[in-house]
Amino acid sequence: MVRAAVLPAVGSPLEITDIHLPEPGPGQVRVRLAAAGVCHSDLSLSNGTMRVPTPCVLGHEGAGTVVSVGEGVTHVAPGDGVVLNWAPSCGSCHHCSIGEVWLCANALAGAANVYARTADGAELYPGLNVAAFAEETVVAANCVLPVPDGVPLTDAALLGCAVLTGYGAVHHSARVREGETVVVFGVGGVGLATLQSARIAGASTIIAVDVSEEKESLARGAGATEYVLASDTTAKEIRTLTGGQGADVAIECVGRAATIRTAWESTRRGGRTTVVGIGGKDQQVTFNALELFHWGRTLSGCVYGNSNPAVDLPVLAEHVRAGRLDLAALVTDRIGLDGIADAFANMLAGRGGRALVVF
């Protein structure tokens, strides 16, 4: 029996309760969680913006220690520190075969498998494969990667989503070059990681945009050289801050139609707009044919930072060891399982950076 945050049904409040967790079978790993980040995607799963089978245990950004392994698992052993990988690539689908592992067609197949049971015997599903909102979890072996040397285990949880996404948005999707101007919309956990990554990439002007005045200090601490409070004149302000041209790169970390449109309008002619935020089907963004031709901008989506965790984690670890990437600075609240509901409320209200469940 382990304690977990269970989502009984879409739209229901989380229930902190004991669950029955089996021992790992062939090709599985049991992990004792050290920490789990509370991501906006967890909120989107709980309210139905994204769909997974329920009842389930949410949480997909986590790190911990291997307790035991099933038959055939050789790349980790009991006692090893690991980062959970919620979107493992299968290695055999079309996208994996052409190197686009972040678009793997089978990445979320495990979310449809029963992995545990409630105290009264009801079947439970593992949210986005890894069910990190629990003291322990059992996952497929390809859902764990060794924690790189020199990265504290608790901080390593952030590598599993926020940092891979933010770093990848800058380096893989937008491909920010030294000296370019970058604007980041949304200063939550992913936005803060994106700001740090833009600084690492050598961006000259880094503009953060958010609805909250209180987030300015967080943004500047992460590398923002300018801060803009979101309004109807945001795009105009960004053009003013970039010599009248607009930013070379705009990265949207919110997932709202209006914010995506503003990010597009804040991008210079010929620049790149990358959308990281996950919005609902009701968020419709429109463009006219003439502006698409005239502005010559590139608009692209970004899944999991277009990252390959096995390749990118060692790179991120080197930035951590060198002091260029500050994982702890992304965290504004350290909570227990009971604090997840409040963390959801804070995200809805636009407060804080990353909340981290510490076990």
Side-chain angles (χ1 to χ4, degrees):
M1 299 286 283
V2 301
R3 298 286 284 173
V6 174
L7 177 70
V10 171
S12 298
L14 295 177
E15 297 178 357
I16 311 303
T17 186
D18 290 330
I19 66 172
H20 290 283
L21 194 66
E23 290 303 311
Q28 292 185 322
V29 178
R30 182 164 179 152
V31 178
R32 179 178 301 112
L33 272 296
V38 183
C39 179
H40 204 281
S41 295
D42 298 310
L43 177 60
S44 296
L45 290 166
S46 72
N47 64 26
T49 300
M50 298 191 297
R51 293 282 183 173
V52 290
T54 57
C56 66
V57 175
L58 298 178
H60 61 280
E61 180 183 88
T65 303
V66 175
V67 176
S68 55
V69 300
E71 180 183 350
V73 178
T74 59
H75 73 296
V76 294
D80 288 350
V82 292
V83 176
L84 298 180
N85 176 15
W86 63 270
S89 58
C90 69
S92 58
C93 72
H94 171 72
H95 288 289
C96 287
S97 72
I98 61 174
E100 296 176 348
V101 298
W102 55 92
L103 297 179
C104 174
N106 303 305
L108 296 180
N113 298 327
V114 173
Y115 94 112
R117 293 183 180 273
T118 63
D120 60 6
E123 295 178 337
L124 280 174
Y125 297 92
L128 290 180
N129 281 329
V130 296
F133 288 164
E135 294 170 332
E136 296 187 12
T137 188
V138 173
V139 300
N142 62 354
C143 286
V144 297
L145 294 165
V147 172
D149 291 341
V151 180
L153 187 58
T154 299
D155 292 349
L158 301 163
L159 296 174
C161 184
V163 178
L164 274 172
T165 299
Y167 182 87
V170 169
H171 291 268
H172 302 321
S173 181
R175 299 184 180 182
V176 175
R177 298 183 289 268
E178 186 174 357
E180 288 192 311
T181 56
V182 177
V183 56
V184 178
F185 289 81
V187 185
V190 172
L192 288 169
T194 303
L195 289 167
Q196 287 203 42
S197 299
R199 175 176 45 76
I200 290 170
S204 58
T205 299
I206 304 173
I207 306 165
V209 180
D210 200 274
V211 296
S212 171
E213 293 181 359
E214 288 73 24
K215 289 190 178 183
E216 180 171 359
S217 60
L218 280 174
R220 291 189 181 277
T225 59
E226 308 287 345
Y227 190 80
V228 173
L229 195 62
S231 71
D232 292 340
T233 62
T234 294
K236 182 178 180 179
E237 291 180 63
I238 290 168
R239 286 194 294 273
T240 299
L241 291 169
T242 53
Q245 296 299 312
D248 295 307
V249 172
I251 301 178
E252 199 271 1
C253 303
V254 180
R256 287 186 174 180
T259 315
I260 294 169
R261 180 71 210 193
T262 302
W264 167 264
E265 293 173 356
S266 301
T267 307
R268 68 165 174 83
R269 195 176 188 189
R272 288 104 66 202
T273 306
T274 292
V275 179
V276 175
I278 301 173
K281 293 180 180 179
D282 62 325
Q283 296 293 310
Q284 299 290 317
V285 189
T286 60
F287 309 90
N288 67 62
L290 181 60
E291 69 175 311
L292 291 173
F293 161 77
H294 173 76
W295 290 102
R297 297 163 174 148
T298 300
L299 176 68
S300 62
C302 179
V303 178
Y304 204 6
N306 294 7
S307 294
N308 181 341
V311 173
D312 290 327
L313 281 183
V315 176
L316 293 172
E318 180 55 35
H319 287 308
V320 172
R321 289 191 292 265
R324 293 184 291 267
L325 180 59
D326 185 354
L327 298 178
L330 305 181
V331 180
T332 52
D333 298 282
R334 294 178 184 267
I335 61 175
L337 282 174
D338 292 328
I340 296 175
D342 287 339
F344 281 3
N346 285 335
M347 283 190 288
L348 281 171
R351 293 191 293 264
R354 201 48 134 211
L356 190 67
V357 180
V358 180
F359 294 92

